[in-house]
Amino acid sequence: MSVRAMGVLSQACRLGRLAQVLRQSHRSAPAAFNIALGSQHSPAALSLRRFTTETKQASGPVVDKHEFQAETRQLLDIVARSLYSDHEVFVRELISNASDALEKFRYTSLSAGGENMAGKDRPLEIRITTDKPLMQLIIQDTGIGMTKEELVSNLGTIARSGSKKFLEQMKDNQQAASSEASSNIIGQFGVGFYSSFIVANKVEVFTRAATPNAPGLRWSTDGSGTYEIEELPDVELGTRIVLHLKTECREYADEERIKAVIKKYSNFVGSPILLNGKQANEIKPLWLLEPQSISKEQHHDFYRFISNSFDVPRFTLHYNADVPLSIHALLYFPEGKPGLFEMSRDGNTGVALYTRKVLIQSKTEHLLPKWMRFVKGVVDSEDIPLNLSRELLQNSSLIRKLSSVISTRVIRFLQERSKKQPEEYEAFYRDYGLFLKEGIVTSNDQTEKEEIAKLLRFESSKSETASGRMSLEEYYNAVPQEQQNIYYLAAPNRVLAESSPYYESLKKRNELVLFCYEPYDEVVLMQLGKFKSKKLVSVEKEMREESKEATATTDFGEGSLLRSELDSLIPWLEEELKGQVVKVKPTSRLDTHPCVITVEEMAAARHFIRTQSHQVPEQNRFALLQPELEINPKHPIIKKLNKLRGSDKDLAQLIAKQLFANAMVGAGLAEDPRMLLTNMNTLLSRALEKY
């Protein structure tokens, strides 16, 4: 045996061992065809150096036998195990390759010299055939096809992309049509074809280039380390891939299974996809069409398709941009009320990410902030770099930029709807206002908070009807420019808001006050902090701040207790309520109420009572809240209490405790109002003793 033959045999043995390892994996090595065949930017570009080991001249056709040589033993295992998290994506990859082949043919036929292309008038389509008895899946395109040199170059090397090279050539040539053609080329990396070996134990590629007099070729391999190329007659123009499926992957020879995968990943590929003779991708990629050319019925059908729902969109945002990123977005705002899973922050966003009409992720995290999870639709961007499998995004900073652009556009769109379609927006706000408030609480950007805040709506003290809500911007424009605060009051409903002791003094001054009826509204406004140049201030806090400035007041109006009487009553109350209030003081801001409780941050205090107070002993709870009791020296109950201290000490003590308890309930700081009943019943018994 010659030295050369011995070397060939030794090399074949080494590759045989590699193939044996790969066969043990259920997701063995994939291999790439005419388009998506390799990344040229990776410094560790995974290539299989091809060399000819044997050329046989027999009585039949010429068969060239080649070998794959791996740079590392783990190469194909990485392709099979690491790049694809779901077996079914091989269908997407092969369809993307076929689509690229069609686009290459379409572009080349329109370029200089394209008039000599073979079969220029043939239909450009992708044909898929399933064969259950033979456990075969056949994917064929009528595109550019491959020459023998391209077969060796593209399919003989992992991570070599025909599409990438094609785009680079167009860029070098600077041809006029390159922009449009490049936007339709999907393949950017060179392992898509090799995903075939996740499900197949043998792959055959029949191809014929569109150049004049190009021969028909057959490329085949069983993934064992070698592949063969031979010339065949009567091969159709384009490329046909025959996958001989593994037994455990026989499901991919079923028409319904392939149809479901096409619908999921490749429904919007530009060329027709025929599955066993019937078109499988009938829905158009509406986001790439001119907005004015799309009918309402098309929007309804498309919305139901992408959202898997049965309602219709309330609003539609069709957005196209070239800067700062290339974006084609079609977003819908549902008409129906949010579902249980949408209310949960654990739910996924409803926006799918595409690149050049091929699905990357159906529920894309970080594309929109969590609070926008009610938005449904599609975002397609040619600028997104993808990893080899098109499943994980490589450049998170670019995704953050994309998210920022789209989020800003969504907020601006809703602001436009609130002005142009106020009634429709009001209905939307009733159903989805909670999400907007969540956006304010979770955002770390004050500018973004204020932009979202423009979408909020509240009833006000000057609303003529309960439905007459106003925005923060309307409040800002309605009050004098020198007014530094925007006042709001939290109450369960309008009746309680208007009768609140905290509202009395502002009502006298005819101040504009926003009424917040939801428990979380005041937390939202506290998180917002300010709107434009004005601070957002709760009326409780405003009352406490003003009372600090009025500590030296001696005249509390006609009929009030004298200062000397107050100097005696206040220490007595502080002693009786020791451990519950930190201070008792008179106020002139009350009219019909005997007293009121103030704390430093009422919204935070109420939130604490609702969520965490049950974990804290009562004494510690009051120490944390630091409540102050403000009494009205003009109120009959306070004046009578002052007299009772001398004549009936026990009754005076009961009244003092009840006044404090009532004030805590009025402030929304009572953990359980039922605790009032014991003291209240005792007080009633004492009051009825004389009868």
Side-chain angles (χ1 to χ4, degrees), residues 493-507:
N493 53 58
R494 188 177 188 88
V495 172
L496 291 177
E498 291 180 331
S499 61
S500 169
Y502 302 100
Y503 176 54
E504 281 189 353
S505 63
L506 291 170
K507 187 177 182 180

Side-chain angles (χ1 to χ4, degrees), residues 166 181 310 313 344 545 596 598 602 605 629:
F166 182 71
F310 300 98
S344 168
E545 293 297 323
V596 70
T598 61
M602 189 67 80
L629 180 66

Side-chain angles (χ1 to χ4, degrees), residues 608-609 613 616-626 671:
F608 166 74
I609 292 294
S613 66
V616 181
E618 184 179 79
Q619 189 173 358
N620 294 352
R621 189 159 65 244
F622 288 122
L624 287 170
L625 293 175
Q626 296 281 296
E671 184 181 26

Side-chain angles (χ1 to χ4, degrees), residues 658 672-684:
Q658 190 64 44
D672 188 350
R674 290 174 295 185
M675 299 298 291
L676 301 176
L677 296 177
T678 302
N679 189 71
M680 187 180 294
N681 289 334
T682 304
L683 183 60
L684 289 172

Side-chain angles (χ1 to χ4, degrees), residues 264-281:
K264 181 177 181 181
Y265 292 106
S266 306
N267 211 33
F268 305 109
V269 168
S271 302
I273 302 175
L274 305 179
L275 176 59
N276 294 333
K278 295 178 288 187
Q279 186 162 345
N281 61 332

